[in-house]
Amino acid sequence: MNMSSLDESEKWMDSCGDFRDEGSYQTKDSTACYGGHKRQFPLGDSIDTLEHLLLDTAQLFPLMETKLYRRRWVTLLLFSIHSMSNAFMWPQYSIISNIFTRFYNIDTVAVDWLSMVYFLTYVLLIVPVSWALDNRGIRDVVVAGSAFNCIGAWIKTGTADPSMFAMTFVGQFVCSVATAHILGIPSRLASLWFGQQEVSTACSIGVLGNQLGIAIGFLVPPILVPNVGDVDELAHHIRFMFYISAGVATFVFVLVVIVFQERPEIPPTQSQAQARISRSSDYSYMSSIWRLLCNKAFMLLVITYGLNVGCFYAISTLLNRMIIEHYPGEEVNAGRIGLTIIIAGMAGSLICGLWLDKTKTYKQTTLVVYILSLVGMLVYTFTLNLGHLWAVFITAGSLGFFMTGYLPLGFEFAVELTFPESEGTSSGLLNCSAQIFGIIFTIGQGKLIDKWGTLAGNVFLCVFLLIGTIMTGFIKSDLRRQKANQRAEVQPVSHTESMTVQNYGATACSSSHE
């Protein structure tokens, strides 16, 4: 701790009293808890001063008891399955868009909106869902998302009729509401349940569930719904696909209600223990949002994350149109190419997560992966029209490895830059940026493809990936969560503090959102 921070902390403690004896201390604004008593943090005039003060005063707290529960893996697996069942429904229309345009007698833009509704709904719901995550807890949010996913899937089972496009859109909209309750969860769940040396890997696995669902959404619909001429036969195939997804969604909903748990009784890391102390019933969601908006490094990450993931969303939504333009009649292979993108990306996500846990090089890894995403996009752009389908599989796979592998990097880097703010809030802002850019890029690339072809549309995305790469280089690497863990771990523990540790679960203030 530097001398200025030490002096500031001492002045603060002098004005508050001896917290080791009294168990509480008061200042003027934000309230937190210690040992069953309330404590308030000074907001002051400087957001950076508050954030650094929260980190520097980590040494003032005794070491808390930490524990890793085996149940954490069950919780992570269940969430991943839940995310997978929802993500499957996102591309199930767009990957066979030519079939659905003929079945419902609509244009390609209408089919594109069956995917883009996910982006728009997320933007509209990000604030209330993030508030619910902070104030109601992760279990309530996950259960609500699972319920919406189940309801939307059953609505779609009755829409396998050419006159039911409006109702199938309603069903897809309800499923998109579920997505708003899912995308911000991985980093929050990883921090709540997993240790310092596995938190990035856990976040990657949480993201993998979503990516696996998208992969299945690329692969299965072209197989279950062949491009047949008879409308009645086509309706039968579509109905069968909808019933399968509804059955899976129902099964997952029941599992979530029965099995999914809020958080472990004892926190897994010192940083999570400190977060429990600093987030109280008086926690202000809007104040947290404001502090994040004033965090320059984080806001740069929000923009660059949106550019990268927005490009991925546009490519995924328009993949069928790009492949069919150069390889007519290859709907099944279009799905397989999408599958290749996601499977390669899943490998990239897992490798990036393991690498972060081992090296903690968040800024460097993010920048390298961003550069390679740009390179992959350029190679994919200029090989798509060569007439060799095998080459498309290779280039699409390399693109997916880096572009999809970037997803957990963004989540974990955001948590590091914004600690001790809620992981759900930071992830929510990242995803909101991705959805906004996803809408812009999908509409923009779609119009360019219609007018000038796929080359112009893909070059359009390359330009924005280049901008994102340059901006990533300017992000300041301020790893606040790592600092909090390191400072807490070097602190000696007295016998009195050890007793406090043993009674942590009984004495620490429980926040209303936890």
Side-chain angles (χ1 to χ4, degrees):
M1 182 184 294
N2 58 52
M3 291 304 297
S4 62
S5 297
L6 182 59
D7 292 339
E8 188 174 10
S9 299
E10 289 175 346
K11 291 177 183 178
W12 181 24
M13 297 309 300
D14 289 338
S15 67
C16 301
D18 187 353
F19 79 97
R20 294 183 188 274
D21 294 332
E22 302 296 332
S24 66
Y25 36 94
Q26 301 290 326
T27 55
K28 60 183 179 180
D29 283 309
S30 181
T31 306
C33 301
Y34 175 80
H37 301 279
K38 287 191 174 181
R39 155 193 166 191
Q40 294 183 340
F41 293 109
L43 291 181
D45 296 325
S46 171
I47 299 299
D48 289 336
T49 298
L50 170 64
E51 291 170 334
H52 288 294
L53 185 58
L54 284 168
L55 291 173
D56 287 341
T57 55
Q59 291 182 0
L60 299 175
F61 296 105
L63 280 176
M64 298 298 181
E65 181 184 9
T66 60
K67 181 178 179 180
L68 293 178
Y69 293 81
R70 293 180 182 177
R71 186 186 180 92
R72 69 192 188 279
W73 296 109
V74 175
T75 302
L76 180 61
L77 177 61
L78 179 56
F79 170 76
S80 297
I81 295 173
H82 165 43
S83 180
M84 178 185 69
S85 69
N86 174 256
F88 166 79
M89 302 184 202
W90 171 53
Q92 69 177 162
Y93 293 96
S94 61
I95 196 60
I96 48 175
S97 59
N98 58 319
I99 295 176
F100 277 108
T101 54
R102 177 167 58 86
F103 181 74
Y104 287 119
N105 193 26
I106 53 176
D107 58 24
T108 55
V109 174
V111 175
D112 290 344
W113 269 107
L114 287 169
S115 294
M116 289 191 293
V117 68
Y118 275 67
F119 310 152
L120 182 61
T121 303
Y122 191 93
V123 173
L124 296 176
L125 294 181
I126 174 59
V127 171
V129 171
S130 295
W131 179 90
L133 186 59
D134 283 342
N135 290 274
R136 297 290 302 176
I138 190 173
R139 172 178 162 79
D140 285 355
V141 171
V142 171
V143 170
S146 185
F148 279 116
N149 191 49
C150 183
I151 294 169
W154 280 105
I155 290 174
K156 290 195 289 185
T157 59
T159 64
D161 184 278
S163 63
M164 297 294 287
F165 175 74
M167 187 56 66
T168 205
F169 191 90
V170 170
Q172 190 75 338
F173 167 74
V174 175
C175 291
S176 73
V177 174
T179 300
H181 293 75
I182 293 173
L183 292 185
I185 296 296
S187 59
R188 174 72 167 162
L189 189 150
S191 294
L192 283 174
W193 284 90
F194 288 83
Q196 182 182 357
Q197 300 304 320
E198 58 188 15
V199 64
S200 296
T201 302
C203 182
S204 298
I205 294 173
V207 173
L208 285 183
N210 186 270
Q211 300 308 304
L212 181 59
I214 296 174
I216 296 173
F218 281 134
L219 177 66
V220 173
I223 297 174
L224 295 181
V225 186
N227 192 4
V228 296
D230 184 74
V231 175
D232 291 335
E233 183 182 354
L234 187 58
H236 169 75
H237 292 302
I238 293 173
R239 187 178 300 109
F240 180 67
M241 177 179 68
F242 286 159
Y243 270 108
I244 289 177
S245 57
V248 172
T250 303
F251 175 71
V252 171
F253 171 66
V254 173
L255 280 181
V256 167
V257 171
I258 296 174
V259 177
F260 197 87
Q261 187 174 324
E262 174 67 22
R263 70 176 188 183
E265 180 181 355
I266 300 173
T269 62
Q270 292 299 322
S271 62
Q272 187 57 217
Q274 293 174 29
R276 289 193 187 185
I277 291 172
S278 63
R279 296 170 191 165
S280 75
S281 58
D282 294 326
Y283 167 82
S284 171
Y285 174 70
M286 295 311 299
S287 295
S288 177
I289 290 288
W290 176 249
R291 288 192 292 270
L292 291 178
L293 294 177
C294 293
N295 186 327
K296 296 178 182 178
F298 174 67
M299 291 312 297
L300 273 176
L301 180 63
V302 167
I303 296 172
T304 57
Y305 184 91
L307 291 172
N308 190 303
V309 181
C311 288
F312 166 73
Y313 286 158
I315 293 169
S316 300
T317 302
L318 302 173
L319 183 62
N320 174 270
R321 292 168 61 181
M322 287 190 283
I323 299 301
I324 295 301
E325 177 178 325
H326 297 289
Y327 307 92
E330 294 288 354
E331 292 88 359
V332 174
N333 274 323
R336 290 171 179 167
I337 291 171
L339 175 68
T340 302
I341 292 174
I342 301 303
I343 294 299
M346 291 170 63
S349 295
L350 187 57
I351 291 173
C352 288
L354 292 169
W355 176 258
L356 286 184
D357 280 332
K358 184 176 180 61
T359 66
K360 305 300 181 184
T361 54
Y362 292 87
K363 164 69 178 292
Q364 299 90 325
T365 304
T366 300
L367 180 59
V368 169
V369 171
Y370 216 119
I371 293 172
L372 293 175
S373 295
L374 171 61
V375 173
M377 186 66 203
L378 287 169
V379 174
Y380 172 78
T381 297
F382 293 102
T383 58
L384 182 61
N385 60 352
L386 295 181
H388 303 294
L389 200 58
W390 60 267
V392 179
F393 274 93
I394 295 175
T395 57
S398 62
L399 172 64
F401 182 88
F402 297 109
M403 187 171 281
T404 310
Y406 175 80
L407 297 175
L409 289 179
F411 284 154
E412 285 297 289
F413 196 14
V415 173
E416 291 291 337
L417 294 175
T418 61
F419 181 85
E421 304 297 344
S422 169
E423 300 87 356
T425 305
S426 61
S427 297
L429 290 176
L430 289 182
N431 283 319
C432 183
S433 174
Q435 314 307 314
I436 292 173
F437 281 113
I439 293 173
I440 295 171
F441 291 162
T442 300
I443 294 175
Q445 187 186 24
K447 290 186 177 298
L448 288 172
I449 290 175
D450 290 339
K451 191 169 185 178
W452 288 298
T454 57
L455 180 62
N458 286 330
V459 169
F460 168 75
L461 297 185
C462 290
V463 171
F464 284 99
L465 282 175
L466 176 61
I467 295 172
T469 301
I470 295 172
M471 293 179 67
T472 299
F474 289 98
I475 298 176
K476 181 181 178 181
S477 183
D478 184 11
L479 307 183
R480 298 175 177 180
R481 181 175 62 179
Q482 295 303 312
K483 293 175 183 177
N485 279 322
Q486 292 166 1
R487 290 171 180 175
E489 288 170 357
V490 298
Q491 172 186 307
V493 185
S494 68
H495 175 72
T496 302
E497 290 168 346
S498 178
M499 294 299 293
T500 302
V501 167
Q502 297 301 321
N503 292 286
Y504 175 79
T507 60
C509 291
S510 57
S511 303
S512 63
H513 66 278
E514 296 178 332

